[in-house]
Amino acid sequence: METNIRQRGDVGGSSKKVGLRIKELERLYGIQNGGDRKSESVPNKSDVIFQNELAKQMGMSVDTLSNYKLLSEMIPELEELLDTGVVTKTTALAIMMNSKRNMRFFTHT
């Protein structure tokens, strides 16, 4: 399963799908929030890897990996704009980061 997800992540697809695949790989490896926490669901604890190792295996930087994970949370309307080329990945990321910042502001007030 893990090899299949990694191969599909390498091939590409929509940014949202790549982000969802990365999140699933992190779940399989027990990686949470950029750490190296071991998950009880991982049968062989030696298979647990760090986020930077996962990024290297997928041929991307940790920042790119994080960006894909953020894009996996896009609303369908923004995803469609990205997929049709109306907005760039950079613009979509800026929108997502801004909305995250605003959400933190409203939840702390």
Side-chain angles (χ1 to χ4, degrees):
M1 180 176 175
E2 172 260 338
T3 302
N4 188 20
I5 292 170
R6 188 180 304 134
Q7 286 174 345
R8 285 191 286 160
D10 288 344
V11 172
S14 78
S15 297
K16 185 172 187 172
K17 287 180 182 178
V18 173
L20 291 171
R21 290 180 195 127
I22 289 168
K23 285 184 172 185
E24 181 62 12
L25 283 171
E26 286 185 339
R27 185 191 68 76
L28 289 171
Y29 285 127
I31 301 169
Q32 299 173 4
N33 299 324
D36 64 342
R37 297 179 186 95
K38 295 183 187 312
S39 169
E40 294 305 314
S41 65
V42 178
N44 183 356
K45 299 295 186 213
S46 65
D47 289 341
V48 177
I49 63 171
F50 293 96
Q51 189 177 36
N52 62 344
E53 292 173 292
L54 177 60
K56 184 177 179 182
Q57 287 178 7
M58 297 205 56
M60 60 182 70
S61 70
V62 174
D63 287 341
T64 300
L65 188 121
S66 296
N67 288 343
Y68 275 118
K69 287 178 7 184
L70 182 59
L71 288 171
S72 74
E73 301 170 12
M74 281 187 290
I75 61 171
E77 294 83 359
L78 181 57
E79 182 180 11
E80 184 178 334
L81 292 173
L82 178 61
D83 289 346
T84 59
V86 174
V87 298
T88 65
K89 193 182 308 181
T90 303
T91 302
L93 278 168
I95 292 168
M96 293 297 296
M97 287 178 191
N98 191 37
S99 68
K100 284 260 188 217
R101 236 179 278 120
N102 289 338
M103 291 302 291
R104 281 194 297 264
F105 173 76
F106 289 117
T107 57
H108 286 93
T109 319

